[in-house]
Amino acid sequence: MVNLHIVLPGIFIEPESREVPFQKMIFFGDGDTDIPSMKMVRHQGGFSIAVFDQNKWSDSRTQSKVEKLIAEERANYVVPAVYEEGSQLDVTVKGLLQLFKRKGI
């Protein structure tokens, strides 16, 4: 079951009062504007997954962006944006969900 929550801008909620703590979050980012959120979720104990267009993998700019996301600790995982059963993204998310279950998160 996936829980989606609306966050009101400018409203601070104490960590212990949050319905979903950062440790239970998986943030998916697919563009440069998502990078600050990916880093925040990651540094607060959650996980961030950067997805990229696999058709652009041979472009050196794409590879440089991936290297930078990893080197600057902005994303935990960087995978092609393929949303199919058995894709790297699917396996990564399923692994994280199993991690949550194992740790009782």
Side-chain angles (χ1 to χ4, degrees), residues 13-84:
I13 301 172
E14 293 293 336
E16 61 277 357
S17 300
R18 296 177 185 159
E19 289 187 52
V20 179
F22 278 103
Q23 293 81 5
K24 290 185 177 183
M25 290 185 191
I26 302 173
F27 186 90
F28 298 85
D30 65 355
D32 292 342
T33 59
D34 293 323
I35 292 172
S37 296
M38 289 191 304
K39 185 165 185 165
M40 183 204 46
V41 168
R42 184 180 185 284
H43 282 274
Q44 292 291 327
F47 296 89
S48 63
I49 301 175
V51 297
F52 64 90
D53 182 347
Q54 67 180 357
N55 295 324
K56 295 181 180 178
W57 179 248
S58 60
D59 183 342
S60 63
R61 290 175 296 180
T62 298
Q63 293 178 17
S64 292
K65 282 185 179 183
V66 168
E67 288 176 13
K68 190 173 179 178
L69 286 170
I70 295 167
E72 294 178 355
E73 299 181 282
R74 295 176 184 268
N76 296 95
Y77 304 94
V78 183
V79 299
V82 177
Y83 301 93
E84 299 171 356

Side-chain angles (χ1 to χ4, degrees), residues 81-100:
V82 177
Y83 301 93
E84 299 171 356
E85 183 87 24
S87 68
Q88 289 177 329
L89 179 58
D90 178 58
V91 171
T92 301
V93 171
K94 287 177 179 174
L96 287 172
L97 294 174
Q98 288 178 25
L99 175 67
F100 291 173

